Structure formats: structure tokens, C-alpha cells
Amino acid sequence: MSPDLHLIVYNVTCSISAITAIGLSIFILISGPRKMANVTFSLMCLSIAIFAISQVIGTNISDPNISRIVLMFNLSVFFISIFNLHAILCLINKSRQNRLILVILYTVASLLTIFFIFNSNLFLLPSVPKTYFPNYYQPGILNWIRVAFVYGVTLPCVIYFLWKARKEATNNLDRKRYIYQLEAEIIGYAFGYIPNFLVYGLNIDPIWGMLFVPLFAVPIVYGS
């Protein structure tokens, strides 16, 4: 596949992911605007859409500095993960008991986002061409905090709470539901990590990572 065609396929994939996420966000919110689980799932999908849209635009801009500004919307991953955790806690009726954890994580995510907005070079450097992209992420020295927050903090929390809920479930339907959610989380986050390989210099095509929308958001929303 030629680089130009490869880029077109990537752009189409990201665009479909963004449209899917926006559609899910609207559908979930309409389905239960007063339910906190629906609100947080909707916000999670909206954050995913912001991420996907920034991917399409930022990687196609030839100016490295403007590209970096657009790709700074990658900060949305902090909120994808925290909204996801909050939604799962609401789903298993454990949000009140774990309110302190949520307050701490929301605070940390917000402070990190503000910090990186005002210290953007620590998060992203001016973009550089990589593989078939006119420009792609060039990580700053503290960019690793993003990965650590998502995969070292919020994902383990999600796995722990879902696994615990499965063990405490009083009927087989809930047990199967929580296992389904857990499998969707693990598969979705695994695919969602793929774009990070190229960020850190490993030539693995990030297009596979954009499959995390149908593999992550759609099953989770369906299972909720």
C-alpha cells in the first residue's frame, strides 16, 4: 500500500471512529440523561471522539507547531479513562463508596491537563514526519505520565472493581455481564495502546489502535 493510500485509510478509519463515538455519546445521553452511568459513559464517548478528531487533523498538518497544538488534544485520554472508571463504578453501584477515589483521580487528571496546557513542551514537542504521516506525535519528557495514569492507575482500578463485582454478584446474569464488561475493557485498552508504539519510535501501524472504538466503546455501552 502506498503512503498516500495508507494515510487515506487511516483518516477514514479515524473519521468513522469519531462519528461512531459521537453517535454513541448522543444515544446514551438521550437514553438516560438523569442517570450518572449514562452521563459518564456519554462523556467518555465524547472524549474518545475528541481524541479521534485530533488524530485526523493533527497528523495531516504539515506545519510541525500547528500539528503539535492540535495533537495536544491527546490530553483527552486522561478523561477517557476517568470517565470510563466512573461509569463502571456507577454500573456496579459502587460510585458512592468510592467517591474519594473518583475525587482524587478527577483532580489529578484536571491538574495534569492544566499543567501540560501551560507547559506543552513537556507533553509534546513539535511534530515530526513518521512512516506515512506528514506529522506525528513527538513526545516530551513527561509524556509518559499520560500512559502511566491510564494503564498504571485507572485501568487497574477498572479491572479490580469489575472482578470484585463479579465475585460478589448474586446471580449468573450479573456475573456474565461483568465478565463481558471486563473482557471489553481489556481488549479495548490493549488496542488503544497501539498508537503509543509509534509515538515512542516503534514502527507499528497505529491504524489498528483506532479499532478500540468498536472494540471498547460499543461493547461496553451495549453491555451497560
Side-chain angles (χ1 to χ4, degrees):
M1 188 183 300
S2 69
D4 288 343
L5 180 57
H6 209 151
L7 183 61
I8 291 172
V9 173
Y10 179 83
N11 291 338
V12 170
T13 303
C14 288
S15 299
I16 292 173
S17 295
I19 293 169
T20 302
I22 292 171
L24 286 171
S25 178
I26 295 171
F27 173 76
I28 299 165
L29 195 59
I30 291 174
S31 299
R34 296 185 179 181
K35 295 180 180 179
M36 184 54 69
N38 288 56
V39 171
T40 48
F41 271 128
S42 178
L43 289 171
M44 178 194 77
C45 290
L46 184 59
S47 299
I48 291 173
I50 291 171
F51 167 77
I53 292 169
S54 70
Q55 287 278 106
V56 174
I57 298 174
T59 55
N60 282 274
I61 294 175
S62 58
D63 185 292
N65 291 299
I66 298 177
S67 173
R68 188 263 298 270
I69 291 172
V70 175
L71 292 177
M72 283 293 294
F73 281 92
N74 183 251
L75 288 166
S76 62
V77 299
F78 285 117
F79 294 97
I80 293 174
S81 63
I82 188 60
F83 286 139
N84 178 214
L85 173 59
H86 193 167
I88 292 298
L89 287 173
C90 290
L91 183 67
I92 63 176
N93 298 313
K94 296 292 183 181
S95 59
R96 289 185 181 274
Q97 298 94 314
N98 296 282
R99 184 180 298 173
L100 180 59
I101 292 175
L102 289 173
V103 169
I104 291 172
L105 291 179
Y106 272 117
T107 302
V108 171
S110 298
L111 290 175
L112 284 171
T113 300
I114 293 170
F115 174 77
F116 284 129
I117 287 174
F118 287 98
N119 298 274
S120 57
N121 280 337
L122 298 178
F123 188 71
L124 287 178
L125 298 172
S127 303
V128 296
K130 292 183 180 180
T131 61
Y132 55 87
F133 293 103
N135 268 311
Y136 200 73
Y137 298 94
Q138 182 73 348
I141 59 173
L142 295 183
N143 186 274
W144 62 268
I145 292 176
R146 168 186 59 87
V147 179
F149 182 86
V150 174
Y151 289 90
V153 179
T154 56
L155 178 58
C157 285
V158 167
I159 293 173
Y160 169 76
F161 286 120
L162 279 173
W163 186 258
K164 186 178 180 182
R166 184 203 68 86
K167 293 181 68 176
E168 294 175 351
T170 57
N171 61 76
N172 287 330
L173 183 61
D174 282 340
R175 289 193 194 97
K176 290 180 180 179
R177 185 185 183 193
Y178 296 146
I179 285 295
Y180 177 81
Q181 292 282 351
L182 183 58
E183 291 172 349
E185 294 280 351
I186 292 172
I187 293 172
Y189 273 93
F191 272 84
Y193 187 83
I194 292 175
N196 287 293
F197 289 116
L198 188 57
V199 172
Y200 295 110
L202 296 175
N203 289 333
I204 297 176
D205 194 344
I207 194 171
W208 298 106
M210 297 314 297
L211 293 175
F212 84 97
V213 176
L215 290 171
F216 172 60
V218 174
I220 288 174
V221 170
Y222 175 78
S224 64

